[in-house]
Amino acid sequence: NSQSVHFRNVEKTRHSLYSVTLSIVERPLFLFVSFGPILEKFMTRIMVKATAFAVCVFVVNLSIGHERAHGQWFESIGYNRLVGQLGSVENGAGIPLSMGEADTNANASLFRYMPNVLAPGLAGKNIVDGSGLNNDGPSTHATGQARFIFGDLSIAQGATDMTVYEAVNYWNVTLGFAGGGDPLAQPFKVQSHAWIGNGFSTADAENLLQRLDYMISQNEISVQVGINNGSSNAQPQLLGQAYNAISVGRTDGNHSRGFTTLYGSGRVMPDVVMDAVTTSRATSKTSSVMTVLHHKAVNSGNPDASRAVTMKSILMAGATKQEFPSWSRTTTQPLDSVFGAGEVNIYNSYFIIDGGETDGSTSVPAGGTIGQRGWDYGENIDPGTPLYYNFEVGPGEHFATMSIMLNWEIEITDGDPGPLFDPIADLANMSLRLFDSSVTPLGSPLDESLSPIENVEHIYFQDLTEGLYTIEVSTDRPTDFALAWNAVVPEPNSFVALAMVGLVCLGRRRKRRAS
């Protein structure tokens, strides 16, 4: 029920022949580009030789008119409700951003992947070319992505600084893949990748994914990655199959779905979905949400709130499911195979951060210890000692839903003491359980999430009435983790009030697992 994998393929790229598909995850107009000299020219710059490279780029018409009005996605993710309730919220100011983009120029000597810094929607933004290769003007795709991440179509318009990388340069240089060295340190808090990659050997793809997972945990960056458009079961090799990234699909379900095929096969993708007409847009919008949430976390004054694993757990715990009548999970499959944890909802996630951190107890508490919403970041939980969190539903009260999300990162360490990066992957097996402790502590088990392969566990319960409940978190080995929870109380109205009075008077308690 655990994974411990050691990969030693550090020299593989020096003389490799590649036929790789690199795609922008958008609706295609289908332009095929085949060119060997690009990689040789590029590799020469980074002191690594290659003899062939083929890239298939799908270029899209990015007319904003084809996107749903941005006010609609503001509404669907709960942003309008949040602002309406609070008056104003954080806007991403001071949060450093980065983005990876596929080159869209077919010419071997030209690169086009940077946003248009003169676009009206990006006025006042500081956009830096992190790869230093762009020499053919702006990319329309990149411009659209930037506008949704921190421009005029974003909820994070207070953010001002973004570094942009060309995708091949990012994996070869920044992640150190081409030379076999360590991934470079990165100073960002949010990173967005609206491109996919295929055509690698399994060993090379897994090495790249491990490098990304290592970078995320070392630098505490929330990395959003797109998956395929179209309702296919074919998942891209890069980058959605990383453990520590956040894979993003579409609310309409028109994206690749199902399970990972490498680097720990059988895990559910995507993690969350977003109201968007393409997975590129879904990725950039989710990055916009994460930028605001990071700003909120910084303002909370607790540095553990800004950790990548905490942010991921908070985002997923706040996701909504009422949009998806078919949404389901099981005790061994924590997420829905199409919609993941559900649709991103910043209203819920914002108030999860606001609920503050509550540490788990090594013994079952006598009463309630956590509020309606909140989170906990735990370090090196003891395998022999589970942690417990109690919450109460008071007399006459009712939780319409209770979402509990446990996340932890795959641990990647470097097994090479020299200049090369030799990734060693180790994944703990954690468990999540919910008990009814109203009569006796841990008296009645209500649900559990026990996936043997994921780095996420999730319990989603409907119709919790009066009582004392206990969340149990356990592990098979020491590991850091993040737990987040979100209870939704029905809006008061006469019908609900009457129904609740009736339930209290009858002494009935109805609890139903969402499966």
Side-chain angles (χ1 to χ4, degrees), residues 276-292:
V277 298
T278 65
T279 54
S280 275
R281 296 287 176 80
T283 304
S284 57
K285 289 177 178 181
T286 303
S287 295
S288 174
V289 170
M290 291 303 285
T291 302
V292 172

Side-chain angles (χ1 to χ4, degrees), residues 203-337:
D204 284 354
E206 290 182 339
N207 186 276
L208 276 164
L209 293 168
Q210 287 179 313
R211 288 171 177 275
L212 180 67
D213 280 338
Y214 177 85
M215 185 281 296
I216 290 171
S217 60
Q218 290 294 309
N219 297 282
E220 300 290 0
I221 302 176
S222 295
V223 176
Q224 288 62 241
V225 298
I227 57 177
N228 277 322
N229 286 290
S231 55
S232 166
N233 290 328
Q235 298 283 13
Q237 290 181 305
L238 307 180
L239 293 166
Q241 301 201 49
Y243 282 86
N244 300 341
I246 299 170
S247 59
V248 184
R250 295 162 46 171
T251 298
D252 63 8
N254 194 21
H255 55 255
S256 55
R257 72 277 308 280
F259 307 97
T260 57
T261 57
L262 47 77
Y263 189 30
S265 60
R267 295 175 289 124
V268 173
M269 292 172 60
D271 292 311
V272 293
V273 295
M274 168 61 78
D275 182 7
V277 298
T278 65
T279 54
S280 275
R281 296 287 176 80
T283 304
S284 57
K285 289 177 178 181
T286 303
S287 295
S288 174
V289 170
M290 291 303 285
T291 302
V292 172
L293 292 178
H294 268 284
H295 191 182
K296 170 65 175 174
V298 169
N299 284 350
S300 75
N302 187 338
D304 285 340
S306 295
R307 293 182 180 272
V309 68
T310 309
M311 284 282 96
K312 184 175 181 179
S313 197
I314 287 169
L315 182 78
M316 295 177 71
T320 56
K321 302 166 176 63
Q322 67 267 21
E323 303 90 342
F324 316 114
S326 63
W327 190 94
S328 66
R329 54 164 288 274
T330 68
T331 57
T332 56
Q333 181 185 307
L335 305 178
D336 184 83
S337 60

Side-chain angles (χ1 to χ4, degrees), residues 63-389:
S63 169
I64 296 300
H66 289 178
E67 178 63 271
R68 295 177 64 183
H70 66 272
Q72 289 186 253
W73 80 272
F74 285 11
E75 181 67 27
S76 66
I77 66 168
Y79 179 73
N80 289 346
R81 180 186 179 196
L82 181 64
V83 173
Q85 182 170 323
L86 298 181
S88 64
V89 298
E90 286 80 355
N91 61 7
I95 303 300
L97 310 176
S98 57
M99 180 172 75
E101 275 288 314
D103 175 29
T104 60
N105 195 301
N107 191 304
S109 62
L110 298 177
F111 290 88
R112 183 193 305 132
Y113 57 89
M114 285 291 291
N116 183 359
V117 297
L118 300 179
L122 297 175
K125 305 299 183 181
N126 177 39
I127 302 177
V128 176
D129 184 354
S131 296
L133 299 172
N134 199 90
N135 57 5
D136 187 44
S139 159
T140 307
H141 181 269
T143 301
Q145 290 299 104
R147 290 179 66 185
F148 277 105
I149 294 171
F150 74 145
D152 61 323
L153 301 176
S154 167
I155 64 171
Q157 296 182 28
T160 57
D161 298 305
M162 174 185 282
T163 300
V164 181
Y165 297 94
E166 191 272 325
V168 177
N169 177 269
Y170 179 81
W171 78 54
N172 274 325
V173 178
T174 307
L175 294 184
F177 178 72
D182 291 356
L184 300 178
Q186 298 180 54
F188 315 110
K189 296 307 296 181
V190 177
Q191 190 169 99
S192 185
H193 291 277
W195 56 270
I196 58 175
N198 285 300
F200 297 88
S201 70
T202 297
D204 284 354
E206 290 182 339
N207 186 276
L208 276 164
L209 293 168
Q210 287 179 313
R211 288 171 177 275
L212 180 67
D213 280 338
Y214 177 85
M215 185 281 296
I216 290 171
S217 60
Q218 290 294 309
N219 297 282
E220 300 290 0
I221 302 176
S222 295
V223 176
Q224 288 62 241
V225 298
I227 57 177
N228 277 322
N229 286 290
S231 55
S232 166
N233 290 328
Q235 298 283 13
Q237 290 181 305
L238 307 180
L239 293 166
Q241 301 201 49
Y243 282 86
N244 300 341
I246 299 170
S247 59
V248 184
R250 295 162 46 171
T251 298
D252 63 8
N254 194 21
H255 55 255
S256 55
R257 72 277 308 280
F259 307 97
T260 57
T261 57
L262 47 77
Y263 189 30
S265 60
R267 295 175 289 124
V268 173
M269 292 172 60
D271 292 311
V272 293
V273 295
M274 168 61 78
D275 182 7
V277 298
T278 65
T279 54
S280 275
R281 296 287 176 80
T283 304
S284 57
K285 289 177 178 181
T286 303
S287 295
S288 174
V289 170
M290 291 303 285
T291 302
V292 172
L293 292 178
H294 268 284
H295 191 182
K296 170 65 175 174
V298 169
N299 284 350
S300 75
N302 187 338
D304 285 340
S306 295
R307 293 182 180 272
V309 68
T310 309
M311 284 282 96
K312 184 175 181 179
S313 197
I314 287 169
L315 182 78
M316 295 177 71
T320 56
K321 302 166 176 63
Q322 67 267 21
E323 303 90 342
F324 316 114
S326 63
W327 190 94
S328 66
R329 54 164 288 274
T330 68
T331 57
T332 56
Q333 181 185 307
L335 305 178
D336 184 83
S337 60
V338 177
F339 302 106
E343 183 177 70
V344 171
N345 187 284
I346 193 172
Y347 180 92
N348 290 337
S349 295
Y350 187 96
F351 283 111
I352 291 173
I353 298 174
D354 222 27
E357 182 177 19
T358 304
D359 294 334
S361 172
T362 55
S363 59
V364 182
T369 59
I370 64 175
Q372 178 181 336
R373 296 182 174 99
W375 58 277
D376 182 30
Y377 172 74
E379 295 182 90
N380 286 320
I381 178 175
D382 188 340
T385 308
L387 294 179
Y388 299 98
Y389 307 77

Side-chain angles (χ1 to χ4, degrees), residues 360-437:
S361 172
T362 55
S363 59
V364 182
T369 59
I370 64 175
Q372 178 181 336
R373 296 182 174 99
W375 58 277
D376 182 30
Y377 172 74
E379 295 182 90
N380 286 320
I381 178 175
D382 188 340
T385 308
L387 294 179
Y388 299 98
Y389 307 77
N390 274 12
F391 65 92
E392 290 185 278
V393 182
E397 294 181 348
H398 171 228
F399 286 178
T401 61
M402 182 64 169
S403 177
I404 307 166
M405 190 69 63
L406 174 66
N407 288 85
W408 65 102
E409 294 179 334
I410 190 170
E411 182 181 0
I412 307 294
T413 55
D414 185 2
D416 190 316
L420 298 179
F421 183 69
D422 184 14
I424 303 172
D426 186 67
L427 179 65
N429 182 25
M430 299 195 73
S431 300
L432 179 66
R433 293 178 173 88
L434 178 66
F435 296 89
D436 185 346
S437 296

